[in-house]
Amino acid sequence: ASELSARDRMFYDSKHLLYYWRLTPDRRLLFGGRAAFAPTSVSRAAAILEQARQLVYPQTRRLRVEYAWGGNVGFTFDRLPHIGRHDGVHYALGCCGSGVAMLTYLGGLLARRVGAGTDLPLEASPFEQIPHPGGPGLPGLYEGRPWFLPIVDGWYRVRDWSTRNGVGPN
């Protein structure tokens, strides 16, 4: 454990299909990331991430996976967080896989909005200023069914491969 994280830090890489990892309080390695954009099983995602973990830390090859889980992650089309108000409803969304940390912060900002007129300080946020783009512009092209995610997955894999191998722009 000390070899992997001497200072007990949280790590993530900068790929489009990123990995993240940290040590848990009981000194086990928690390793996660985007296994695929297409629907997949937890066991398949675990196998993909197991292989990735061994690439990042070859010395962990002998370790066995004790737990695996999966689920959906909500992404905005611009991959940026947004907060605001629509039809009287305050919202925070688009943390794109960083929700635990980011939504704690954004939730505090929204609490101040909802509590306006109280003793809570009201502060501006740059996340309110980010334009909020919708999906592809053709009507009916995207109606909540992300048919295009396998294409995005392939595109990001090619970009990550080209960056890793020094081929083309990142």
Side-chain angles (χ1 to χ4, degrees), residues 161-168:
W161 177 88
S162 67
T163 299
R164 188 171 52 252
N165 292 288
V167 180

Side-chain angles (χ1 to χ4, degrees), residues 24 37-38 41 65 78-79 88 90 100 106 112 115 117 123 128 136 142-143 151-152 168:
T24 61
F37 276 87
S41 67
V65 174
D78 60 3
R79 295 175 34 184
H90 294 267
V100 172
L106 296 179
R112 288 176 187 73
E123 58 188 83
E128 294 172 287
Y142 176 66
E143 296 176 344
I151 298 166
V152 171

Side-chain angles (χ1 to χ4, degrees), residues 29-110:
L29 178 64
L30 184 136
F31 190 95
R34 166 66 58 191
F37 276 87
T40 189
S41 67
V42 170
S43 61
R44 177 73 184 125
I48 291 168
L49 292 173
E50 169 74 2
Q51 189 174 31
R53 188 201 77 221
Q54 292 177 15
L55 284 173
V56 173
Y57 289 118
Q59 66 269 46
T60 67
R61 288 186 195 279
R62 60 180 171 69
L63 299 179
R64 65 180 170 73
V65 174
E66 292 183 353
Y67 302 98
W69 61 94
N72 295 325
V73 176
F75 275 71
T76 53
F77 283 94
D78 60 3
R79 295 175 34 184
L80 295 171
H82 297 273
I83 65 172
R85 186 175 168 175
H86 180 72
D87 291 338
V89 176
H90 294 267
Y91 64 87
L93 52 85
C95 293
C96 304
S98 298
V100 172
M102 183 59 79
L103 281 176
T104 301
Y105 170 71
L106 296 179
L109 291 176
L110 290 181

Side-chain angles (χ1 to χ4, degrees), residues 17 37-38 146-159:
L17 299 171
F37 276 87
W147 56 268
F148 51 84
L149 286 182
I151 298 166
V152 171
D153 180 75
W155 172 244
Y156 284 157
R157 287 183 192 283
V158 166
R159 289 187 68 190

